[in-house]
Amino acid sequence: MSSAPVRHDPAPDDAAPGGAGHDPVPAYGLLGRLLPSGTVSRPASLVERNMRAYRRAWLLLLSGFVEPVMYLFGLGIGLGSLVGDVTTDSGRVVPYALFVAPALMASSAMNGAVFDSTFNVFFKLKYSKLYYSVLATPLGPRDVAVGEIGWALIRGSLYAAAFFVVMLLAGLVRTPWALLALPAALLIGWAFASIGMAVTTFMRSWQDLDVVQLAIVPLFLFSATFYPVSTYPSSVAWLVQLSPLYHGVALVRGVMLAEVGPGLLVHVAVLAALGLVGVLVTERRLRRLLLR
């Protein structure tokens, strides 16, 4: 969420021998042993593998949560005291902190998901060759795609949930409808994790990943995150509304401000479609890259 919202952060066991990446992982993992037979799918094994990889590196996860909180207090509350109230696109007048906080929550879910599904997946795909080992188990390319996207979704959702708690403590949660922001964050995480991993399968070198930065920073700044769409010229406003993050911001802001209506289903449909397309493209690309 800063000028460098996405950073390379390979899972600690991917870079250092002796970590969880070298542990034998059963086909259905710990979850499969604890839960009734048939209730855990094969991709859950890959999610569990990633959870084990971070068991001694929880500070890396914490770092992704701190940044949006600093934005909230620095811009939402600090700058908000100078800005005062703003008029939303629906015509409602709200304090600036209440306007910008839902957008930062949506951005938090996006960053957590993109962070894990691009740089980390690229490292596993091109350098650690982790997925060749995974394919030696009963897991297939579809399981790899769903498992990695699921893990990125979990990471983005953790950031969003933690951010929600901060908003609650700051007095920025003022309606029971706000609880819907949590499933909305799940949807945002799924959409961006799927698209992020699909794009990563086309990358050939670390330099290619600069494209991710070039995409994420404008999305963060110009998706009605800090000011309403109505502030843009009409010739540009339509372009803003094409942004996938705009739909996430509008969805979270709508439920946080109790402006719930059928119009929110459009944002849900766009994000769900992006997630589905991302999963399908990722599976196809992994099948081509790993099984050729």
Side-chain angles (χ1 to χ4, degrees):
M1 305 189 47
S2 62
S3 58
V6 179
R7 301 150 294 177
H8 173 219
D9 175 30
D13 62 331
D14 293 329
H22 300 265
D23 294 337
V25 181
Y28 294 94
L30 179 61
L31 294 176
R33 293 192 293 273
L34 295 178
L35 298 176
S37 176
T39 59
V40 179
S41 62
R42 288 181 295 184
S45 299
L46 196 57
V47 173
E48 181 182 340
R49 178 260 169 210
N50 288 333
M51 291 173 65
R52 291 186 180 191
Y54 277 93
R55 68 188 186 279
R56 296 192 183 92
W58 57 270
L59 277 177
L60 292 177
L61 298 177
L62 184 64
S63 64
F65 156 72
V66 171
E67 233 176 54
V69 172
M70 289 192 293
Y71 267 93
L72 175 63
F73 286 97
L75 293 178
I77 297 178
L79 183 62
S81 63
L82 301 176
V83 173
D85 296 337
V86 297
T87 303
T88 67
D89 291 317
S90 64
R92 184 175 171 186
V93 177
V94 299
Y96 185 69
L98 199 59
F99 174 82
V100 78
L104 291 175
M105 180 178 174
S107 301
S108 184
M110 176 191 73
N111 279 346
V114 170
F115 172 61
D116 213 282
S117 64
T118 53
F119 288 80
N120 286 350
V121 165
F122 182 78
F123 180 81
K124 295 172 185 174
L125 187 62
K126 296 292 184 181
Y127 293 93
S128 71
K129 307 293 184 183
L130 174 70
Y131 301 134
Y132 290 104
S133 302
V134 172
L135 292 182
T137 72
L139 277 70
R142 177 177 299 177
D143 302 316
V144 173
V146 175
E148 286 291 6
I149 290 170
W151 168 246
L153 185 159
I154 290 172
R155 186 165 182 174
S157 301
L158 284 175
Y159 291 166
F163 193 84
F164 184 86
V165 172
V166 173
M167 287 195 299
L168 186 66
L169 296 176
L172 298 174
V173 178
R174 302 181 180 180
T175 169
W177 288 107
L179 290 174
L180 292 177
L182 296 173
L186 278 174
L187 189 59
I188 296 167
W190 181 49
F192 279 96
S194 301
I195 295 298
M197 188 167 177
V199 170
T200 301
T201 61
F202 290 94
M203 301 298 179
R204 297 164 299 177
S205 66
W206 290 113
Q207 286 70 29
D208 290 345
L209 287 169
D210 287 345
V211 174
V212 177
Q213 295 279 28
L214 290 176
I216 291 300
V217 173
L219 283 180
F220 174 60
L221 293 177
F222 304 111
S223 295
T225 313
F226 298 105
Y227 28 84
V229 176
S230 57
T231 58
Y232 291 94
S234 57
S235 57
V236 178
W238 68 271
L239 187 60
V240 173
Q241 296 177 58
L242 291 180
S243 159
L245 181 59
Y246 164 77
H247 294 282
V249 169
L251 181 60
V252 176
R253 185 173 285 150
V255 296
M256 291 291 295
L257 298 180
E259 296 176 343
V260 179
L264 294 185
L265 294 179
V266 175
H267 306 306
V268 172
V270 171
L271 293 171
L274 287 173
L276 183 59
V277 169
V279 171
L280 294 176
V281 173
T282 300
E283 180 201 353
R284 184 170 180 175
R285 286 289 300 164
L286 288 179
R287 200 174 290 279
R288 175 174 295 183
L289 292 172
L290 301 177
L291 300 182
R292 61 186 175 184

